[in-house]
Amino acid sequence: MSDAPATPSGAPAASAVAKTRATICVDGFNIALAKGSGIATYGRNLLSTIATMGMDGQVLYGPNAKRSANNVLNETALVDADRPGPKLKKFDRFQRTLTSRFGRGAWPITPSGEVVWPTRGGGRPEANCFWASQDLFHLANRSFNAYGKETPVDFDTVGDAKRPDAMHWTATLPLYARGMPNIYTIHDLIPLRLPHTTLDDKATYMALCKAVAARADHIAVVSETTRQDVIRMLGVSEDRVTNTYQAVHLPETLTSRTQSDVAIELEGVFNLGWKDYFFHFGAIEPKKNLGRIVEAYLASGLETPLVIVGGRAWLDEGETALLNQVMKDGGPSAQRIRRYEFMPFSLLISLIRGAKATLFPSLYEGFGLPVLESMALSTAVLTSTGGSLPEVAGDAAISVDPYDVQAMTRGLRALDADEALRDDLVRRGLTQAAKFSVEAYQGRLSDMYGRLGLS
């Protein structure tokens, strides 16, 4: 006989027959960026994994448009061209900042199928429902900076919209969802570990991290390095912090292209040969160490070109000073270096695949996705001993002290001259990348959600 609870009619309760799919909502703070970011990639990968696990994913956005009675107009606000919202009077701005700490409402938006989402930002996230709250992230940050208070969010469940079972914030944000578990991913504590590499107000940043640590039902991190930083520097107990690492989701439509097709593309678009250039990509800011990469490359005297893809971020002057001077002076050195501020994702994948090696000797990383992506795409890697990079690279890369330019130069020369070394690193890299497979990530994420009753 069944032990399931019975309804008045004697039939088993519905909950005993079919388990309800858990619904996880992810913030769209970075996902909404037109050119993406490392955290945007993390958020999109998280949503894909949630779907693979049989859960429903949702995304919470903070558009500058007001709520409309028309669902399609509400959806267009999520992907509208980047333009300023209506200008507020000083008192109205003050009032909205002041009242933000008392709560903001979010309204549901059902994907209509009518709105074409921009592919360059990654396309429409893998989610069954979107939520929106006007200027949510902007107002929450203003309110925390002014009053040191987090902003609560209430989900307005109208119509068929399903309120999420949990909120997973993909960054340290001064926000929390009322009436449900709140999970926060802390990628790193670089503003505190390497304060000279960021423009953050360090006291405000510390206050925010402490608030998140106190508020969180659980904290996810992407490396053991960050896990230990969070436990030690924020005073969080070990059982409240889970290292899920990351996984790399590379579209098969790009990875299945033949070497010949990619080589033709590289030759046609960039005039570059297959496995005949070094590659560095990432936002130009101090921790990425571009200044020393350029110095080591020029000192190597190699003819193999160096291709750099990265937009200006912050404090980039010192990182680009030598590069800019060399490019200004012209001559053979300038001709060996190519620099691009932005690259479509498909071309970025081709550039990684065709590179002789990826150069990513960062000063410090919470994870280091470019290292994993390069290994998974059969490209040798030169990286550093900074932060979590040894965890990601293992023994499958040339690892150097990120402050040692001469060590970088020696590494570049070895990679350029020794094909057997590169082949060995590629083999090791594929084995190392498998440790960060989608399946492994799914298992770690499932274990973490299970602790909160969400599996």
Side-chain angles (χ1 to χ4, degrees), residues 155-217:
F155 291 85
D156 181 9
T157 51
V158 296
D160 296 329
K162 183 182 185 301
R163 186 172 181 269
D165 297 305
M167 187 72 208
H168 191 147
W169 306 95
T170 62
T172 46
L173 294 167
L175 288 153
Y176 66 94
R178 282 185 172 128
M180 66 185 70
N182 284 266
I183 304 150
Y184 295 81
T185 294
I186 298 180
H187 296 267
D188 58 60
L189 295 177
I190 286 174
L192 302 177
R193 293 282 283 153
L194 282 78
H196 59 285
T197 66
T198 78
L199 292 172
D200 302 82
D201 180 292
K202 305 312 185 285
T204 300
Y205 179 79
M206 173 64 94
L208 174 58
C209 289
K210 288 281 191 180
V212 163
R215 171 76 59 186
D217 291 279

Side-chain angles (χ1 to χ4, degrees), residues 349-401:
I349 295 299
S350 294
L351 283 166
I352 297 172
R353 288 185 63 184
K356 180 171 284 189
T358 292
L359 312 180
F360 199 76
S362 291
L363 300 182
Y364 201 93
E365 290 288 336
F367 184 76
L369 195 57
V371 171
L372 177 56
E373 290 170 332
S374 299
M375 293 191 301
L377 290 169
S378 299
T379 295
V381 174
L382 182 148
T383 189
S384 85
T385 56
S388 67
L389 290 170
E391 294 179 59
V392 179
D395 65 352
I398 291 180
S399 296
V400 299
D401 180 333

